[in-house]
Amino acid sequence: MTEIVHVSAPELVTYADDLAGLLVETVEEGSSVGFLAPLDREAAAMWWRERAAAVEAGSIGIWIAREGGRVSGTIALVRAPLPNARHRAEVAKLMVRPSARGQGLGRALLAAVEAYAATEGITLLILDTETGSLAEQVYCGAGWTKVGSVPGYAADPAGSLKPTTFYYKELAAP
């Protein structure tokens, strides 16, 4: 059974090595999540550990999906830093292990973040993803609205510039 958990900063450090494995697998299979291949596992673990301060400060929330004690997916919620934007946040780093895809885990992680954001008074979520990626199906199926695409916005893991599509979702005020 898969369990989705909102992790604390110390828990994030504890799970950093397993999250690093997830990140490396995601990059190796070609998903554009901000990193180039090949991604060193220790560098990936360090990247996760470096997020702990932001989690502790409350500017980033990170959720993990665990199955059998292993991290099978993750998602982050990045709060807007400026006073005039406290009503919005960015959804980032939705990743599901290739072996766990197609079972609704990405959708479940997204739903967990959306529910949390609504309880925090966040009424607008934004995100971006590689145009044409499988992730777009998840976002469209979850009721997100496409804003548009920007050509050559980010490099894929192989270093080729790809278009990125931006989405938003309005949440009901509590």
Side-chain angles (χ1 to χ4, degrees):
M1 180 178 155
T2 302
E3 173 186 33
I4 296 176
V5 180
H6 186 189
V7 296
S8 66
E11 289 169 327
L12 178 60
V13 172
T14 298
Y15 285 107
D17 290 333
D18 204 10
L19 284 161
L22 169 62
L23 180 54
V24 168
E25 281 183 39
T26 302
V27 170
E28 283 176 353
E29 65 80 35
S31 290
S32 182
V33 289
F35 296 88
L36 299 175
L39 178 59
D40 176 73
R41 190 177 174 113
E42 185 50 42
M46 182 59 68
W47 184 85
W48 282 108
R49 287 185 202 103
E50 289 171 351
R51 310 279 78 76
V55 169
E56 183 69 32
S59 60
I60 296 176
I62 296 177
W63 286 256
I64 61 169
R66 296 186 299 203
E67 189 162 349
R70 182 176 189 222
V71 173
S72 54
T74 189
I75 193 168
L77 183 70
V78 182
R79 292 177 177 269
L82 298 174
N84 73 337
R86 303 283 182 204
H87 67 288
R88 73 174 189 248
E90 178 183 2
V91 172
K93 301 294 183 266
L94 173 58
M95 292 181 270
V96 174
R97 283 194 194 274
S99 62
R101 291 185 185 160
Q103 302 168 34
L105 185 53
R107 193 86 167 274
L109 284 161
L110 191 57
V113 165
E114 291 174 8
Y116 175 84
T119 66
E120 291 289 302
I122 294 169
T123 58
L124 180 65
L125 295 175
I126 58 170
L127 63 80
D128 66 80
T129 191
E130 183 179 323
T131 304
S133 68
L134 292 175
E136 281 195 294
Q137 295 173 19
V138 173
Y139 303 132
C140 289
W144 286 69
T145 301
K146 180 179 176 177
V147 175
S149 297
V150 178
Y153 186 79
D156 67 8
S160 298
L161 292 179
K162 301 287 184 173
T164 295
T165 301
F166 291 82
Y167 289 84
Y168 75 91
K169 187 168 190 178
E170 293 179 296
L171 304 175

